[in-house]
Amino acid sequence: MWELAPYLMTPIVMIGAWLTGSFLERRHFEDLLRLESGSRDVLAITVEDLPEGWEVERCDLVIGNVVISQDYFKRVAASIKGIFGGRIGVFEPLLERARREALVRMKEQARDHGHDTVINVRIETSALARARSDAKGTAGVEVMAFGTAVTLRAGARKQVGPGGGVPL
Amino acid sequence: MLISNTQEIPGKTVVEFFGVVSGSTVRAKHIGRDIAAGLKNVVGGELRGYTELLAEARGEAIRRMSSQAEEQGANAIVNVRFATSSVAQGAAELFAYGTAVRVE
């Protein structure tokens, strides 16, 4: 019985990683919904030129970043799937989580500085260390969102849709 | 020092260009953080140690860029861009660059 233990280690770690990883992922998505609705008063746009009539009082560079990694089970699953090619679905939620988190952090930093709008938002993704083919390397990705946070002069009206921001 | 990733500082006019300024820093992961990150790597999720490390390093790169701009007599940096590259296993270079200008 006990001599089997070393062989059972890997499957146990993998199943444990899968369950914990999936749980953390679900919880993160719930957190993101809450955080995103909390930062809706900050409007983020990728447009650089401000629409006419928007007068800027002051501005700051704001950055939000996050380093996130995939769980061991999904990393192995992705490397197996990688042999056959095609869509690697397990990595899509990871990048989505990272991007949304980075955007929220950027917006929160903007709000900490007292701004209500971020213009010229850019999102950059970089792999921190190359994942090894045996799925043991760090598969961390960093997502950074940055932009110029601005405060509009009082009285300036901003027109926004139902999706983002609130009217001044 | 006004820093912006837009073509000009919103609400101000550029009166003088000083050229490209840049700042960079290379950071390696810390052994303690690396062990923690290694464990976290099994279950996945945010590697907080690395997030902070990179944010800190990027701040340093921006500071170096600003002091370079200051030396030249600029009061703002426009069109700031960032680049991150893994130079070696476990080390990353954070690079920030932009155009030093004087605005009014």
Side-chain angles (χ1 to χ4, degrees):
Chain A
M1 177 65 208
W2 285 109
E3 49 270 27
L4 281 174
Y7 301 104
L8 288 173
M9 270 303 278
T10 311
I12 288 172
V13 168
M14 271 176 79
I15 291 167
W18 181 42
L19 293 174
T20 324
S22 306
F23 168 72
L24 289 175
E25 184 178 291
R26 239 189 346 267
R27 213 181 55 181
H28 192 200
F29 274 121
E30 283 163 16
D31 283 349
L32 278 173
L33 279 178
R34 192 169 44 76
L35 287 168
E36 276 169 351
S37 59
S39 62
R40 266 183 58 181
D41 53 331
V42 180
L43 174 72
I45 51 177
T46 55
V47 175
E48 185 180 341
D49 296 316
L50 286 166
E52 230 164 286
W54 289 21
E55 267 187 83
V56 175
E57 213 167 82
R58 55 196 186 85
C59 69
D60 271 308
L61 186 75
V62 287
I63 306 172
N65 77 320
V66 61
V67 177
I68 199 163
S69 87
Q70 187 73 293
D71 69 62
Y72 183 53
F73 175 83
K74 291 199 187 109
R75 225 159 41 235
V76 172
S79 72
I80 293 168
K81 231 175 164 184
I83 299 169
F84 304 103
R87 179 178 161 203
I88 303 188
V90 288
F91 269 105
E92 287 168 3
L94 182 82
L95 290 163
E96 188 195 332
R97 279 160 74 191
R99 297 224 166 89
R100 285 167 65 180
E101 182 76 42
L103 273 174
V104 165
R105 287 183 186 181
M106 181 197 72
K107 285 182 176 182
E108 273 169 5
Q109 201 185 332
R111 192 167 38 200
D112 288 346
H113 285 91
H115 300 296
D116 55 12
T117 310
V118 186
I119 59 170
N120 205 21
V121 173
R122 295 286 177 268
I123 299 174
E124 277 184 19
T125 313
S126 52
L128 274 191
R130 216 152 288 137
R132 281 171 18 196
S133 54
D134 59 358
K136 279 184 182 148
T138 310
V141 285
E142 193 214 13
V143 172
M144 162 174 68
F146 63 104
T148 302
V150 295
T151 296
L152 300 176
R153 216 177 287 280
R157 288 193 62 82
K158 67 177 175 184
Q159 301 274 326
V160 289
V166 287
L168 286 175
Chain B
M1 182 67 61
L2 292 163
I3 300 171
S4 163
N5 71 332
T6 50
Q7 291 279 329
E8 18 189 74
I9 300 286
K12 306 220 187 261
T13 357
V14 175
V15 290
E16 199 176 352
F17 283 101
F18 293 91
V20 176
V21 285
S22 61
S24 86
T25 176
V26 177
R27 294 287 168 102
K29 23 187 208 183
H30 182 272
I31 185 91
R33 276 170 169 168
D34 207 29
I35 291 167
L39 290 174
K40 194 72 204 283
N41 217 7
V42 175
V43 293
E46 186 186 352
L47 309 176
R48 218 168 284 269
Y50 288 174
T51 305
E52 282 159 20
L53 179 81
L54 289 173
E56 225 169 77
R58 206 161 273 132
E60 176 72 38
I62 293 172
R63 266 195 300 283
R64 287 183 183 173
M65 178 178 69
S66 326
S67 64
Q68 201 185 329
E70 226 160 78
E71 273 169 30
Q72 297 182 11
N75 65 358
I77 305 169
V78 293
N79 234 343
V80 170
R81 301 274 180 271
F82 295 98
T84 311
S85 44
S86 295
V87 283
Q89 190 73 41
E93 190 209 23
L94 289 307
F95 183 55
Y97 61 105
T99 305
V101 293
R102 198 156 57 80
V103 293
E104 268 168 12

mmCIF file of all heavy atoms in Angstrom, chain B residues 38-62:
data_model
loop_
_atom_site.group_PDB
_atom_site.id
_atom_site.type_symbol
_atom_site.label_atom_id
_atom_site.label_comp_id
_atom_site.label_asym_id
_atom_site.label_seq_id
_atom_site.Cartn_x
_atom_site.Cartn_y
_atom_site.Cartn_z
ATOM 1 N N GLY B 38 6.631 30.178 -6.002
ATOM 2 C CA GLY B 38 6.698 28.803 -6.481
ATOM 3 C C GLY B 38 5.544 27.977 -5.933
ATOM 4 O O GLY B 38 4.941 27.177 -6.642
ATOM 5 N N LEU B 39 5.243 28.210 -4.649
ATOM 6 C CA LEU B 39 4.119 27.495 -4.038
ATOM 7 C C LEU B 39 2.803 27.971 -4.640
ATOM 8 O O LEU B 39 1.931 27.186 -4.955
ATOM 9 C CB LEU B 39 4.124 27.719 -2.519
ATOM 10 C CG LEU B 39 5.260 27.043 -1.751
ATOM 11 C CD1 LEU B 39 5.240 27.451 -0.293
ATOM 12 C CD2 LEU B 39 5.170 25.531 -1.869
ATOM 13 N N LYS B 40 2.695 29.271 -4.797
ATOM 14 C CA LYS B 40 1.462 29.854 -5.346
ATOM 15 C C LYS B 40 1.250 29.393 -6.786
ATOM 16 O O LYS B 40 0.125 29.271 -7.249
ATOM 17 C CB LYS B 40 1.561 31.378 -5.268
ATOM 18 C CG LYS B 40 0.264 32.134 -5.484
ATOM 19 C CD LYS B 40 -0.678 31.989 -4.314
ATOM 20 C CE LYS B 40 -2.115 32.201 -4.690
ATOM 21 N NZ LYS B 40 -2.487 33.587 -4.873
ATOM 22 N N ASN B 41 2.363 29.114 -7.426
ATOM 23 C CA ASN B 41 2.330 28.703 -8.816
ATOM 24 C C ASN B 41 1.603 27.367 -9.006
ATOM 25 O O ASN B 41 1.113 27.068 -10.081
ATOM 26 C CB ASN B 41 3.772 28.582 -9.311
ATOM 27 C CG ASN B 41 3.909 29.039 -10.723
ATOM 28 O OD1 ASN B 41 2.966 29.558 -11.296
ATOM 29 N ND2 ASN B 41 5.072 28.842 -11.285
ATOM 30 N N VAL B 42 1.561 26.556 -7.949
ATOM 31 C CA VAL B 42 0.893 25.262 -8.040
ATOM 32 C C VAL B 42 -0.613 25.439 -8.157
ATOM 33 O O VAL B 42 -1.266 24.825 -8.993
ATOM 34 C CB VAL B 42 1.250 24.378 -6.820
ATOM 35 C CG1 VAL B 42 0.455 23.085 -6.846
ATOM 36 C CG2 VAL B 42 2.731 24.087 -6.795
ATOM 37 N N VAL B 43 -1.150 26.322 -7.315
ATOM 38 C CA VAL B 43 -2.607 26.509 -7.345
ATOM 39 C C VAL B 43 -3.043 27.651 -8.264
ATOM 40 O O VAL B 43 -4.221 27.822 -8.530
ATOM 41 C CB VAL B 43 -3.182 26.749 -5.927
ATOM 42 C CG1 VAL B 43 -3.029 25.510 -5.084
ATOM 43 C CG2 VAL B 43 -2.555 27.949 -5.251
ATOM 44 N N GLY B 44 -2.092 28.420 -8.734
ATOM 45 C CA GLY B 44 -2.431 29.520 -9.634
ATOM 46 C C GLY B 44 -2.936 30.728 -8.876
ATOM 47 O O GLY B 44 -3.102 30.699 -7.664
ATOM 48 N N GLY B 45 -3.159 31.800 -9.603
ATOM 49 C CA GLY B 45 -3.634 33.034 -8.980
ATOM 50 C C GLY B 45 -2.579 34.114 -9.005
ATOM 51 O O GLY B 45 -1.536 33.951 -9.641
ATOM 52 N N GLU B 46 -2.862 35.192 -8.315
ATOM 53 C CA GLU B 46 -1.941 36.320 -8.362
ATOM 54 C C GLU B 46 -0.674 36.031 -7.587
ATOM 55 O O GLU B 46 -0.719 35.548 -6.456
ATOM 56 C CB GLU B 46 -2.599 37.578 -7.796
ATOM 57 C CG GLU B 46 -1.684 38.762 -7.995
ATOM 58 C CD GLU B 46 -2.157 40.043 -7.350
ATOM 59 O OE1 GLU B 46 -3.294 40.080 -6.851
ATOM 60 O OE2 GLU B 46 -1.373 40.989 -7.344
ATOM 61 N N LEU B 47 0.466 36.353 -8.176
ATOM 62 C CA LEU B 47 1.747 36.260 -7.482
ATOM 63 C C LEU B 47 2.064 37.657 -6.949
ATOM 64 O O LEU B 47 2.707 38.458 -7.620
ATOM 65 C CB LEU B 47 2.843 35.752 -8.429
ATOM 66 C CG LEU B 47 2.517 34.467 -9.206
ATOM 67 C CD1 LEU B 47 3.630 34.140 -10.179
ATOM 68 C CD2 LEU B 47 2.295 33.301 -8.267
ATOM 69 N N ARG B 48 1.550 37.912 -5.758
ATOM 70 C CA ARG B 48 1.581 39.268 -5.216
ATOM 71 C C ARG B 48 2.995 39.827 -5.088
ATOM 72 O O ARG B 48 3.233 41.006 -5.335
ATOM 73 C CB ARG B 48 0.888 39.290 -3.860
ATOM 74 C CG ARG B 48 0.063 40.514 -3.606
ATOM 75 C CD ARG B 48 -0.804 40.312 -2.394
ATOM 76 N NE ARG B 48 -1.943 39.453 -2.689
ATOM 77 C CZ ARG B 48 -3.117 39.919 -3.103
ATOM 78 N NH1 ARG B 48 -3.304 41.201 -3.233
ATOM 79 N NH2 ARG B 48 -4.112 39.097 -3.346
ATOM 80 N N GLY B 49 3.933 38.947 -4.697
ATOM 81 C CA GLY B 49 5.319 39.385 -4.545
ATOM 82 C C GLY B 49 5.868 39.966 -5.838
ATOM 83 O O GLY B 49 6.531 40.992 -5.839
ATOM 84 N N TYR B 50 5.538 39.307 -6.942
ATOM 85 C CA TYR B 50 6.023 39.769 -8.240
ATOM 86 C C TYR B 50 5.311 41.039 -8.679
ATOM 87 O O TYR B 50 5.908 41.912 -9.309
ATOM 88 C CB TYR B 50 5.838 38.692 -9.304
ATOM 89 C CG TYR B 50 6.774 37.520 -9.170
ATOM 90 C CD1 TYR B 50 6.644 36.404 -9.978
ATOM 91 C CD2 TYR B 50 7.814 37.545 -8.249
ATOM 92 C CE1 TYR B 50 7.493 35.321 -9.857
ATOM 93 C CE2 TYR B 50 8.666 36.482 -8.126
ATOM 94 C CZ TYR B 50 8.505 35.363 -8.937
ATOM 95 O OH TYR B 50 9.348 34.307 -8.828
ATOM 96 N N THR B 51 4.013 41.110 -8.373
ATOM 97 C CA THR B 51 3.264 42.312 -8.738
ATOM 98 C C THR B 51 3.909 43.540 -8.099
ATOM 99 O O THR B 51 4.155 44.550 -8.761
ATOM 100 C CB THR B 51 1.800 42.206 -8.260
ATOM 101 O OG1 THR B 51 1.237 41.022 -8.773
ATOM 102 C CG2 THR B 51 0.983 43.381 -8.726
ATOM 103 N N GLU B 52 4.212 43.400 -6.787
ATOM 104 C CA GLU B 52 4.823 44.515 -6.069
ATOM 105 C C GLU B 52 6.228 44.807 -6.590
ATOM 106 O O GLU B 52 6.596 45.961 -6.775
ATOM 107 C CB GLU B 52 4.891 44.205 -4.567
ATOM 108 C CG GLU B 52 3.557 44.406 -3.883
ATOM 109 C CD GLU B 52 3.463 43.658 -2.572
ATOM 110 O OE1 GLU B 52 4.511 43.297 -2.004
ATOM 111 O OE2 GLU B 52 2.322 43.423 -2.122
ATOM 112 N N LEU B 53 6.974 43.738 -6.824
ATOM 113 C CA LEU B 53 8.343 43.891 -7.328
ATOM 114 C C LEU B 53 8.361 44.687 -8.628
ATOM 115 O O LEU B 53 9.144 45.625 -8.794
ATOM 116 C CB LEU B 53 8.948 42.501 -7.572
ATOM 117 C CG LEU B 53 10.371 42.449 -8.120
ATOM 118 C CD1 LEU B 53 11.366 42.632 -7.003
ATOM 119 C CD2 LEU B 53 10.639 41.128 -8.821
ATOM 120 N N LEU B 54 7.453 44.351 -9.539
ATOM 121 C CA LEU B 54 7.437 45.016 -10.838
ATOM 122 C C LEU B 54 6.926 46.449 -10.726
ATOM 123 O O LEU B 54 7.444 47.347 -11.393
ATOM 124 C CB LEU B 54 6.592 44.213 -11.826
ATOM 125 C CG LEU B 54 7.233 42.906 -12.270
ATOM 126 C CD1 LEU B 54 6.274 42.104 -13.104
ATOM 127 C CD2 LEU B 54 8.499 43.164 -13.056
ATOM 128 N N ALA B 55 5.939 46.659 -9.859
ATOM 129 C CA ALA B 55 5.409 48.008 -9.676
ATOM 130 C C ALA B 55 6.493 48.923 -9.122
ATOM 131 O O ALA B 55 6.686 50.051 -9.583
ATOM 132 C CB ALA B 55 4.202 47.979 -8.753
ATOM 133 N N GLU B 56 7.228 48.380 -8.134
ATOM 134 C CA GLU B 56 8.331 49.104 -7.510
ATOM 135 C C GLU B 56 9.408 49.444 -8.542
ATOM 136 O O GLU B 56 9.892 50.570 -8.615
ATOM 137 C CB GLU B 56 8.958 48.154 -6.490
ATOM 138 C CG GLU B 56 9.290 48.678 -5.140
ATOM 139 C CD GLU B 56 9.637 47.486 -4.255
ATOM 140 O OE1 GLU B 56 10.759 46.970 -4.408
ATOM 141 O OE2 GLU B 56 8.768 47.061 -3.457
ATOM 142 N N ALA B 57 9.777 48.434 -9.320
ATOM 143 C CA ALA B 57 10.832 48.603 -10.315
ATOM 144 C C ALA B 57 10.408 49.611 -11.381
ATOM 145 O O ALA B 57 11.210 50.433 -11.831
ATOM 146 C CB ALA B 57 11.147 47.267 -10.972
ATOM 147 N N ARG B 58 9.152 49.576 -11.757
ATOM 148 C CA ARG B 58 8.664 50.509 -12.770
ATOM 149 C C ARG B 58 8.702 51.935 -12.228
ATOM 150 O O ARG B 58 9.040 52.874 -12.944
ATOM 151 C CB ARG B 58 7.250 50.121 -13.179
ATOM 152 C CG ARG B 58 6.902 50.556 -14.546
ATOM 153 C CD ARG B 58 5.726 49.784 -15.084
ATOM 154 N NE ARG B 58 6.117 48.546 -15.715
ATOM 155 C CZ ARG B 58 5.548 47.386 -15.481
ATOM 156 N NH1 ARG B 58 4.580 47.281 -14.612
ATOM 157 N NH2 ARG B 58 5.963 46.311 -16.111
ATOM 158 N N GLY B 59 8.381 52.065 -10.932
ATOM 159 C CA GLY B 59 8.470 53.368 -10.267
ATOM 160 C C GLY B 59 9.891 53.904 -10.328
ATOM 161 O O GLY B 59 10.120 55.081 -10.601
ATOM 162 N N GLU B 60 10.841 53.017 -10.092
ATOM 163 C CA GLU B 60 12.266 53.384 -10.149
ATOM 164 C C GLU B 60 12.653 53.845 -11.555
ATOM 165 O O GLU B 60 13.334 54.848 -11.733
ATOM 166 C CB GLU B 60 13.102 52.162 -9.733
ATOM 167 C CG GLU B 60 14.600 52.326 -9.820
ATOM 168 C CD GLU B 60 15.142 53.240 -8.744
ATOM 169 O OE1 GLU B 60 14.635 53.184 -7.616
ATOM 170 O OE2 GLU B 60 16.057 54.034 -9.050
ATOM 171 N N ALA B 61 12.197 53.110 -12.559
ATOM 172 C CA ALA B 61 12.495 53.475 -13.955
ATOM 173 C C ALA B 61 11.916 54.848 -14.280
ATOM 174 O O ALA B 61 12.575 55.668 -14.931
ATOM 175 C CB ALA B 61 11.944 52.421 -14.905
ATOM 176 N N ILE B 62 10.711 55.114 -13.793
ATOM 177 C CA ILE B 62 10.084 56.417 -14.038
ATOM 178 C C ILE B 62 10.869 57.524 -13.327
ATOM 179 O O ILE B 62 11.094 58.595 -13.884
ATOM 180 C CB ILE B 62 8.607 56.403 -13.587
ATOM 181 C CG1 ILE B 62 7.799 55.462 -14.474
ATOM 182 C CG2 ILE B 62 7.996 57.800 -13.638
ATOM 183 C CD1 ILE B 62 6.396 55.224 -14.012
#
